[in-house]
Amino acid sequence: MKEPLPQRVSRWLAWIAGAVILFGCAVPITLDVLMRYFLNESVIDSFEISSYGLAISIGLGLAYTVTTKAHIRVDFLVTKLPFPLRAACDLLAACALAVVAAALAWFAWGTLAQSWAMDARSMSRLRVPLVLPQGLWWLGLAWFACMAVLAPVQAVLRLLRGDRA
């Protein structure tokens, strides 16, 4: 069966998040360590770059965890409930996640808009315009919010079809 488009986009963004971790975090840190060892000087602000990379990769990877149901759950009690009650608990949890995801995306947009209005830049030697990392971070959070809102909608449609999976 062909994977639906939203799930494919989420998987692609998760792959991009992995690339960001590798090339946006690991490579600059490795270069920084090597330069400090051999040249006794740091010319790469690896801490700043890796901080941006971590935030971006988290934002891009969150939607994938929604589509694969990989979020951490403590459901030792829920699994013992009868199906209708278990389905209601799962639906409530999915709705709560959607609210949290929407709030994260909303407030991240406020941060991004403020940085844009102020032409905010990092205080390091790099002077990175903050809209660049924050924009990528927000993009991931916005997609996470879309997928988190879509999850309970899909669950309700499946329940109406009689699909208990």
Side-chain angles (χ1 to χ4, degrees):
M1 185 170 103
K2 188 175 180 181
E3 188 178 38
L5 181 62
Q7 283 79 357
R8 274 187 289 164
V9 170
S10 297
R11 187 171 32 84
W12 293 334
L13 290 176
W15 276 96
I16 292 169
V20 167
I21 285 290
L22 282 175
F23 299 109
C25 296
V27 170
I29 290 171
T30 303
L31 291 173
D32 198 20
V33 168
L34 290 173
M35 294 178 98
R36 286 179 191 207
Y37 182 78
F38 290 113
L39 302 176
N40 210 17
E41 185 178 339
S42 174
V43 289
I44 300 173
D45 200 345
S46 63
F47 180 74
E48 179 180 3
I49 294 169
S50 62
S51 298
Y52 297 148
L54 183 62
I56 291 166
S57 64
I58 289 171
L60 294 174
L62 284 171
Y64 184 70
T65 58
V66 171
T67 62
T68 58
K69 299 179 184 177
H71 283 102
I72 296 172
R73 294 174 43 142
V74 181
D75 57 359
F76 62 92
L77 180 64
V78 175
T79 57
K80 299 185 184 342
L81 295 174
F83 179 76
L85 198 52
R86 188 172 65 235
C89 287
D90 286 343
L91 194 56
L92 179 64
C95 289
L97 182 64
V99 169
V100 169
L104 280 171
W106 174 263
F107 287 108
W109 175 257
T111 301
L112 176 63
Q114 184 177 15
S115 293
W116 177 271
M118 294 172 41
D119 191 30
R121 295 183 176 273
S122 67
M123 295 184 62
S124 70
R125 291 181 289 180
L126 297 176
R127 305 269 305 137
V128 174
L130 291 180
V131 296
L132 296 176
Q134 288 174 353
L136 293 170
W137 171 63
W138 174 79
L139 197 69
L141 291 178
W143 184 251
F144 168 52
C146 290
M147 295 309 295
V149 168
L150 185 61
V153 170
Q154 286 179 329
V156 167
L157 292 175
R158 286 181 179 155
L159 283 173
L160 292 175
R161 283 195 316 252
D163 180 5
R164 289 181 156 213

